[in-house]
Amino acid sequence: MIKAKIRVSGIVWLVAMCVLMFSCTDRGTNSTNIRNNGPKPSDNGTVSKKEVLFSLSHINKLELKGNFSHPKYSPDGRRILLTQPDGTGLYYIDTKKDPAIDNTKVVKLNAVPQAGMDACWSADSKEVLYYDNTDGAIKRHGINSFDINPVSDISRIGMGWYATSDGQETILNRDSNTGHVTVSNLTNGMTTQILTTNDEHIRIIPSPDRKMVLAQTGNGSDVYWVDGSGIIADLKSFVGTCWSIDSSYILGFMRGSNNSDLYVYSIAEAVLKQITNTNDVSEVWPSWSSAGNAIVYRDEISRSVIVADLEIITE
């Protein structure tokens, strides 16, 4: 067991993200390149300054047959979606602790080129959504039924999709001509502009509480309030990011001279903390479980997928 406590103060794709639709010692704080206009006060006019401890333990390298990357936890926490390093194909493993289930068995869904770069889970964890570049359609792929159905006849203009709490499917899009980032509801056809940026962001990810948007390029990540009140943080070189379920933290990685390490950005504390510093492991493409008690990521050196328990302790 490894355990540490961390104090937290292809073509270039428009990668699809999912929120509701779907190791490890403290090596210091990296606050360089952070510009913060938040967090916003709570209802009582105060901002929480509580310190947080992250405890990572039970770090386990999965014994999978094959070279897989970009792991993504399903919303129910049972399955992990996988793809090949170049994004070809969709696969998954079942992590349920059941003697009848082989947790190392990789189930293949398809072999669509770069489908894995755009893939995400449905809210009920029963389907995977992906962009099929062979016919230009966004599709659903059933996990149990293996049915494949188009989501809509919308052309590939979206930067991501997700669902609201009532299950209405939504497309998140950035117009490369105007820079407008908009949300389009596939059920009622309504489109709402949420921010404008001149940067060519390749990933735009709404926070689970829908109050923020994470916009990521190959050079780093920016965090915005969706009400247009400004930028929260400008995080250089912070990529491969995902939100915690309570929208309080952003997990991602930063590439070093020899390998990559995982970092967490705290919205409340405006702090970017390094949480791994390993010479023999290069951690990339992390995914946070919806329960918040586990993460999964890829090690570029061993070409393996690693899972670890995660405990968040507020002091």
Side-chain angles (χ1 to χ4, degrees):
M1 175 190 299
I2 300 176
K3 184 172 183 180
K5 291 191 181 254
I6 300 97
R7 196 171 290 273
V8 177
S9 344
I11 307 170
V12 177
W13 274 87
L14 304 178
V15 179
M17 288 295 100
C18 316
V19 180
L20 297 179
M21 263 192 92
F22 342 140
S23 315
C24 301
T25 52
D26 185 357
R27 293 297 183 263
T29 301
N30 184 344
S31 59
T32 305
N33 300 318
I34 297 178
R35 180 172 72 248
N36 188 278
N37 292 339
K40 290 185 175 180
S42 60
D43 292 339
N44 62 8
T46 63
V47 173
S48 173
K49 292 297 183 181
K50 293 182 178 179
E51 290 185 298
V52 174
L53 295 176
F54 280 76
S55 179
L56 225 59
S57 62
H58 298 96
I59 299 172
N60 180 36
K61 184 182 297 184
L62 301 180
E63 300 298 327
L64 306 179
K65 294 181 180 180
N67 184 9
F68 300 102
S69 186
H70 293 74
K72 297 182 180 74
Y73 268 114
S74 59
D76 63 8
R78 174 172 174 172
R79 297 181 177 91
I80 297 174
L81 186 66
L82 303 166
T83 187
Q84 295 181 26
D86 64 356
T88 297
L90 292 173
Y91 309 79
Y92 75 87
I93 59 172
D94 195 325
T95 65
K96 183 178 180 180
K97 299 184 184 304
D98 186 327
I101 296 176
D102 182 358
N103 299 135
T104 66
K105 180 181 179 181
V106 178
V107 180
K108 182 178 180 179
L109 297 177
N110 67 40
V112 176
Q114 298 188 347
M117 296 299 187
D118 265 353
C120 62
W121 290 97
S122 62
D124 59 8
S125 302
K126 294 180 179 179
E127 295 178 316
V128 174
L129 284 80
Y130 67 99
Y131 173 66
D132 189 337
N133 64 0
T134 63
D135 58 13
I138 297 173
K139 297 180 178 179
R140 305 174 184 270
H141 200 308
I143 294 298
N144 296 318
S145 66
F146 283 84
D147 291 336
I148 301 176
N149 300 296
V151 172
S152 69
D153 58 0
I154 291 181
S155 62
R156 180 67 167 86
I157 60 172
M159 298 197 69
W161 49 71
Y162 60 91
T164 57
S165 58
D166 58 4
Q168 291 184 322
E169 293 170 6
T170 311
I171 293 289
L172 185 63
N173 177 62
R174 178 183 180 275
D175 188 313
S176 60
N177 295 318
T178 65
H180 297 328
V181 176
T182 58
V183 171
S184 300
N185 190 299
L186 300 184
T187 303
N188 58 30
M190 293 182 62
T191 297
T192 304
Q193 181 178 329
I194 57 175
L195 64 92
T196 299
T197 174
N198 293 322
D199 292 336
E200 292 294 327
H201 292 125
I202 59 173
R203 302 176 77 197
I204 295 186
I205 317 167
S207 61
D209 64 7
R210 296 295 183 263
K211 295 180 180 179
M212 295 168 283
V213 167
L214 174 62
Q216 180 185 288
T217 68
N219 297 320
S221 302
D222 296 331
V223 188
Y224 299 92
W225 296 112
V226 298
D227 62 6
S229 59
I231 190 170
I232 300 171
D234 176 11
L235 308 172
K236 303 298 185 185
S237 303
F238 188 48
V239 296
T241 50
C242 61
W243 290 94
S244 62
I245 192 62
D246 63 356
S247 304
S248 296
Y249 310 103
I250 300 170
L251 173 66
F253 70 94
M254 297 180 73
R255 296 192 186 277
S257 57
N258 297 316
N259 63 3
S260 301
D261 287 298
L262 299 181
Y263 287 72
V264 170
Y265 179 74
S266 169
I267 297 295
E269 296 174 311
V271 171
L272 186 64
K273 291 287 293 185
Q274 184 174 354
I275 65 170
T276 66
N277 188 4
T278 49
N279 294 325
D280 57 344
V281 179
S282 184
E283 300 94 348
V284 296
W285 310 119
S287 173
W288 215 320
S289 70
S290 59
N293 60 0
I295 63 173
V296 60
Y297 52 91
R298 170 180 164 87
D299 172 23
E300 293 278 60
I301 296 177
S302 66
R303 299 182 177 182
S304 58
V305 175
I306 297 175
V307 295
D309 291 342
L310 174 67
E311 184 181 7
I312 303 176
I313 307 167
T314 302
E315 291 190 334

